[in-house]
Amino acid sequence: KAGVTQTPRYLIKTRGQQVTLSCSPISGHRSVSWYQQTPGQGLQFLFEYFSETQRNKGNFPGRFSGRQFSNSRSEMNVSTLELGDSALYLCASSPRTSGNNEQFFGPGTRLTVL
Amino acid sequence: GQQVMQIPQYQHVQEGEDFTTYCNSSTTLSNIQWYKQRPGGHPVFLIQLVKSGEVKKQKRLTFQFGEAKKNSSLHITATQTTDVGTYFCAGPFPHASGGSYIPTFGRGTSLIVHP
């Protein structure tokens, strides 16, 4: 099976702009989670989508949003970018079978906000 | 505050030495996972522990879940240069607003192996 793919891999934006990142999960996985990774805060959970519904949400402002399509592909959007949004954004898919919390991470999108 | 503490933050070892990283939670966990992230890479799932006192082995790696399900450890025997990376533990923590659990990662332990 192909792994989790994320596009784009690198992105440079300026403050105030908005950005959309895309994630294609492993075939058959219905759960997609998004994380932000920074040297200062580590790996932080943004949200999880399952069957097109947001199942869970972390402690991020409303500028961070996401959605999931019927084919399980997911996008996350960050509006009104701030310098502090510079980070590696990771997407992870999971089969979400009972008791199995294994997550398969994609390579990430490196976002730089200038 | 930090809900999952991992120590040490960094560990330098000579190739062939053993390595251990510890994960301590502020609350009882239903399960805990361990991931490895190579420099420049993404986290890769290693294992999940569910039962109190559970011990699992993967070749040179030994994972343990504490009796109280609030701490865990990863031990590597006879490290190799391929073991280089950051090891994270992760568990489900109750959301501040209540009603759901969110996956919470420790800050990780970076292992540096000197040949």
Side-chain angles (χ1 to χ4, degrees):
Chain A
K1 278 185 182 178
V4 178
T5 58
Q6 291 187 244
T7 56
R9 293 292 310 278
Y10 302 91
L11 207 48
I12 299 175
K13 292 284 188 179
T14 55
R15 277 183 302 174
Q17 287 187 307
Q18 68 136 20
V19 68
T20 299
L21 312 181
S22 181
C23 171
S24 292
I26 292 172
S27 177
H29 287 192
R30 294 162 65 188
S31 167
V32 174
S33 296
W34 288 89
Y35 293 84
Q36 182 195 66
Q37 187 174 33
T38 60
Q41 298 297 320
L43 257 169
Q44 292 188 291
F45 173 77
L46 282 155
F47 28 67
E48 178 191 6
Y49 285 85
F50 184 86
S51 294
E52 302 179 64
T53 301
Q54 189 179 86
R55 187 176 184 163
N56 226 337
K57 191 178 191 307
N59 298 316
F60 278 82
R63 299 185 298 107
F64 293 81
S65 63
R67 59 178 175 167
Q68 187 179 32
F69 302 94
S70 58
N71 62 359
S72 293
R73 191 177 70 84
S74 177
E75 289 181 347
M76 70 162 278
N77 185 78
V78 188
S79 62
T80 320
L81 284 166
E82 301 176 0
L83 295 179
D85 297 332
S86 294
L88 180 66
Y89 289 88
L90 292 159
C91 161
S93 79
S94 172
R96 272 287 177 210
T97 55
S98 176
N100 183 357
N101 296 296
E102 178 176 357
Q103 297 189 79
F104 297 81
F105 282 84
T109 294
R110 172 76 61 185
L111 172 65
T112 302
V113 182
L114 303 175
Chain B
Q2 184 68 37
Q3 297 170 306
V4 182
M5 298 293 295
Q6 264 191 269
I7 55 171
Q9 188 176 357
Y10 300 94
Q11 182 77 61
H12 289 256
V13 300
Q14 287 294 133
E15 190 172 16
E17 290 182 337
D18 292 356
F19 159 78
T20 305
T21 173
Y22 301 91
C23 181
N24 296 297
S25 165
S26 59
T27 188
T28 302
L29 299 171
S30 59
N31 61 79
I32 195 163
Q33 299 100 49
W34 284 91
Y35 292 81
K36 176 185 178 182
Q37 185 172 20
R38 286 202 162 99
H42 55 274
V44 174
F45 175 82
L46 294 176
I47 207 158
Q48 173 172 283
L49 305 171
V50 178
K51 299 176 185 175
S52 168
E54 188 171 14
V55 178
K56 285 189 176 180
K57 292 190 176 185
Q58 290 178 352
K59 296 183 181 178
R60 295 179 294 106
L61 277 61
T62 302
F63 303 84
Q64 192 165 7
F65 203 7
E67 294 290 339
K69 300 181 75 172
K70 293 180 74 172
N71 55 69
S72 181
S73 64
L74 157 59
H75 179 83
I76 302 178
T77 304
T79 55
Q80 300 174 359
T81 54
T82 53
D83 295 326
V84 165
T86 301
Y87 293 85
F88 295 95
C89 62
F93 269 79
H95 195 284
S97 62
S100 65
Y101 287 80
I102 64 173
T104 302
F105 281 72
R107 289 293 184 90
T109 295
S110 293
L111 172 63
I112 300 101
V113 180
H114 299 277

